[in-house]
Amino acid sequence: MDGKVDLDAVEDYLNSDLAPANTMDLSELDGFLTGVALSPEPISPEEWLMTIFDDYPPDFEDEDHADAVLGGILGRFNEIM
C-alpha cells in the first residue's frame, strides 16, 4: 500500500442512511479537516469530530464499522497535517 488513507469506507458511510441527516459529504469533510489543520491553535478531535455529523451521534453497523469510518477520518486528518 502507498500509505494513503482508504476513504471508501468513510465516503460510503457519509452517504449512507446510518449517517445523521446533515452529515458532511466527503468534499465538505476534506475542507473542514483542512480548516481544522490550519487553525493557529491545535484543536483536538474531541472538539471537532461531532461537527462532521452535525453534532448528532453517528450510528454504525458495529465496532469494526465505527473503527473503519472514524479511523479513516482521523487518518485523512493526519495526512492533511
Side-chain angles (χ1 to χ4, degrees):
M1 191 159 165
D2 61 9
K4 291 191 67 82
V5 173
D6 181 1
L7 293 175
D8 289 341
V10 174
E11 183 173 33
D12 289 347
Y13 176 77
L14 296 177
N15 294 324
S16 77
D17 290 337
L18 287 174
N22 292 315
T23 295
M24 295 179 187
D25 65 25
L26 193 59
S27 178
E28 291 169 324
L29 174 65
D30 214 45
F32 175 74
L33 294 177
T34 300
V36 172
L38 292 173
S39 172
E41 296 292 323
I43 305 170
S44 71
E46 293 81 19
E47 294 181 71
W48 55 257
L49 193 59
M50 290 300 291
T51 303
I52 295 166
F53 308 109
D54 195 33
D55 293 321
Y56 287 94
D59 189 23
F60 299 104
E61 294 170 358
D62 54 34
E63 190 172 327
D64 289 339
H65 185 226
D67 289 345
V69 173
L70 298 176
I73 291 170
L74 294 173
R76 180 64 183 134
F77 178 71
N78 288 332
E79 283 182 336
I80 294 168
M81 288 294 291

